[in-house]
Amino acid sequence: MAQLDAALAKIDANLDAALQRLFALVSIPSISTDPAYAGDCQNAAEWLKDELHSLGFEASVRPTAGRPMVIAKAKARRANAPHVLFYGHYDVQPSDPLDLWKTPPFEPRLADAPTGTQIVGRGTSDDKGQLMTFVEACRALKETGDFPCDITILLEGEEESGSHSLPAFLAENRDELRADVALICDTSMLDRATPAITTMLRGIVTQEVVIKGADRDLHSGLFGGAAVNPVHVLTKIIADLHDENGRVTLPGFYDGVAELPAEIAAQWREIGFDGAQFLKDVGLSVPVGEKGRSVLEMIWARPTCEINGIIGGYTGKGFKTVLPAQASAKISFRLVGAQDPEKIAANFRAFVKAHLPADCHAEFMAHGGSAALQLPFDSAPLTRARAALHDEWGKEPVLIGSGGSIPIVGAFKRDLGMESLMIGFGLEDDRIHSPNEKYELSSFHKGARSWARILTALGAA
Ligand code: BES
Ligand code: ZN
């Protein structure tokens, strides 16, 4: 334990320097979905490679068809140490709407809030701050002796845009990446005082649909009434995707969706989640999901269909009396249980086609997807991590679900036969994917301390 104590003291003493490093990484606008930022993604990958190299990792930036991967490897000096694969992502979501940011998204800063100091900037929580908690833990362990485990680090640059290059990359590098357990940092705590291990994630299907009508934009006075309006067609189809009880109407959508096992339902009741407060925190009061379900069920255990974006017609300043030639929407489905992403994508496309009136046709684009995930909650690494988290936070960690999706976790299991442990220090109010994203300084600091403890616990004989 002497080394762990020294490592924890190092993390405390080096917090300011660690923050400067995080600021440097957050300053790089590594937005993966927009090709204009491909160079920045490359820069973020190079920055991380250099950082890991300086900690004694054999580190490289590996090109893919999309954004590069960073791979870093270090071995414990002792033989037969367990091997962990740590995963994080260095890409971030677009920062728009820009005018809602109090300060520029890629100029990170500290802000004082009633609950404590916050680190503000795009990617501070999702996922640069989180992945740097692990890197800082590695630094402290290295500086105070040795790594307790053999460590491979995989940092992806396309998580926020569908992980397109991932399946091929995993297939090609299977042997290099396979470890005893994968550690995923891209998740949340229950609340600012209570650590959590996430054992359930929702899956996702993303579909973009374009509906086309006339062969050009038309004058809405001269043609309106006679010519089909693709915006009307699209919005009607979208409205028909839900019934009056909040259920999704796609045929077969609920195949593979089971009721929550009693044991999990009981665990979740103990968590004491306050659905009304959860909505109140974002200015809402009435849940809109399936009737008769609790808010926690709605976000952790039930599937959804959400319109993420809708485009059509004139949206500029002033007014234009146009009857648009096309309209499009970006739609995602969150999946649970055994719902099949491919089947749902196919059913959606069939649904749209079946609802098209004469003279309209539809084009589709997919942006990646993944099935829902259920991890074991009694594995040996989980038990060790639980104790390590308890030591840091002075509180038993809870096992939680999450409504978000991390496509790689399913691929680790499917393609590499590897279980994952999902531990992160994000908070519900971190505004990930929103303006003014933040990460708590306490998450950053105690997150690094937690990883030092978890690595030590996993490496113990
Ligand atoms: N970190 C999030 C997912 C998350 C957040 C999981 C909090 C658990 C707790 C991740 O970066 C994310 O947003 N993923 C996308 C994936 C999609 C673009 C394929 C998502 O869930 O929307
Ligand atoms: Zn993330």
Side-chain angles (χ1 to χ4, degrees):
M1 281 300 114
Q3 190 201 345
L4 176 59
D5 289 338
L8 295 175
K10 271 269 180 227
I11 291 172
D12 297 348
N14 290 343
L15 183 59
D16 281 344
L19 266 177
Q20 292 315 310
R21 288 186 281 269
L22 174 59
F23 279 20
L25 180 59
V26 172
S27 303
I28 308 173
S30 44
I31 300 168
S32 60
T33 199
D34 184 345
Y37 295 89
D40 295 295
C41 290
Q42 182 75 30
N43 290 343
E46 299 282 347
W47 188 93
L48 283 160
K49 177 206 67 179
D50 292 343
E51 197 62 27
L52 290 166
H53 179 75
S54 77
L55 297 182
F57 283 83
E58 183 195 317
S60 57
V61 173
R62 309 276 185 92
T64 70
R67 308 296 169 259
M69 305 272 180
V70 179
I71 298 229
K73 287 184 274 186
K75 272 194 172 300
R77 279 195 291 272
R78 78 179 166 92
N80 299 322
H83 181 193
V84 300
L85 172 70
F86 175 82
Y87 165 85
H89 64 92
Y90 67 77
D91 65 319
V92 300
Q93 287 277 333
S95 51
D96 65 290
L98 250 188
D99 53 333
L100 295 185
W101 284 80
K102 292 188 186 135
T103 52
F106 299 107
E107 292 175 24
R109 62 182 167 101
L110 291 181
D112 282 324
T115 44
T117 304
Q118 303 179 344
I119 311 166
V120 182
R122 171 58 86 233
T124 49
S125 175
D126 189 9
D127 182 37
K128 290 171 172 174
Q130 302 251 57
L131 77 86
M132 287 303 281
T133 58
F134 188 84
V135 174
E136 294 302 335
C138 289
R139 181 188 312 279
L141 289 165
K142 184 75 190 174
E143 286 177 357
T144 52
D146 192 24
F147 295 129
C149 307
D150 292 347
I151 302 174
T152 302
I153 296 181
L154 166 64
L155 303 175
E156 189 196 353
E158 296 179 350
E159 196 273 348
E160 298 290 11
S161 54
S163 298
H164 296 286
S165 308
L166 197 74
F169 190 82
L170 285 190
E172 278 161 28
N173 299 281
R174 191 171 285 150
D175 295 334
E176 216 180 330
L177 294 174
R178 191 178 287 118
D180 297 316
V181 66
L183 305 175
I184 317 282
C185 68
D186 202 12
T187 55
S188 307
M189 314 214 309
L190 179 67
D191 57 47
R192 63 192 63 242
T194 317
I197 301 179
T198 302
T199 55
M200 282 170 82
L201 282 183
R202 287 198 287 192
I204 190 166
V205 165
T206 56
Q207 289 281 308
E208 191 165 344
V209 54
V210 186
I211 294 187
K212 296 188 173 172
D215 61 6
R216 75 204 71 171
D217 280 2
L218 302 168
H219 187 293
S220 70
L222 301 187
F223 287 88
V228 66
N229 184 328
V231 178
H232 297 192
V233 174
L234 177 68
T235 50
K236 169 87 170 77
I237 291 175
I238 285 175
D240 288 343
L241 282 168
H242 289 94
D243 69 13
E244 64 283 4
N245 293 317
R247 281 173 70 89
V248 176
T249 53
L250 282 190
F253 185 71
Y254 291 93
D255 292 355
V257 179
E259 287 303 319
L260 204 58
E263 184 195 0
I264 299 185
Q267 272 182 27
W268 287 4
R269 271 193 297 278
E270 267 173 41
I271 286 174
F273 177 86
D274 183 344
Q277 187 62 42
F278 172 77
L279 290 176
K280 190 161 178 248
D281 285 346
V282 292
L284 301 174
S285 60
V286 181
V288 298
E290 291 169 83
K291 292 228 162 67
R293 305 271 174 193
S294 73
V295 173
L296 198 60
E297 251 185 307
M298 287 176 184
I299 56 173
W300 286 1
R302 299 298 299 174
T304 67
C305 162
E306 293 289 344
I307 315 306
N308 299 125
I310 178 161
I311 310 153
Y314 183 69
T315 56
K317 287 201 167 61
F319 208 90
K320 180 181 176 190
T321 48
V322 65
L323 200 163
Q326 68 172 56
S328 66
K330 296 174 195 278
I331 301 178
S332 61
F333 299 87
R334 296 283 169 173
L335 312 185
V336 303
Q339 280 180 300
D340 177 349
E342 309 241 315
K343 206 177 100 189
I344 285 171
N347 287 357
F348 168 72
R349 292 193 292 263
F351 182 91
V352 172
K353 285 184 192 152
H355 286 72
L356 283 177
D359 292 335
C360 281
H361 75 275
E363 290 167 13
F364 299 92
M365 274 161 288
H367 292 270
S370 60
L373 196 80
Q374 166 75 70
L375 298 176
F377 22 76
D378 52 3
S379 68
L382 183 137
T383 305
R384 287 180 182 221
R386 267 184 119 147
L389 285 168
H390 183 280
D391 288 347
E392 176 59 25
W393 297 84
K395 220 173 160 180
E396 190 58 25
V398 292
L399 303 186
I400 62 173
S402 170
S405 309
I406 309 175
I408 199 167
V409 186
F412 281 159
K413 175 79 190 169
R414 201 173 45 247
D415 303 342
L416 303 182
M418 190 167 58
E419 286 300 345
S420 296
L421 205 48
M422 299 194 286
I423 300 172
F425 305 94
L427 293 179
E428 217 160 66
D429 67 355
D430 278 354
R431 296 186 288 270
I432 65 173
H433 299 202
S434 297
N436 305 303
E437 178 177 348
K438 60 88 176 160
Y439 196 46
E440 299 285 322
L441 181 59
S442 64
S443 290
F444 184 57
H445 182 195
K446 287 175 78 64
R449 290 175 53 99
S450 299
W451 282 121
R453 290 184 190 274
I454 293 168
L455 283 172
T456 303
L458 293 176

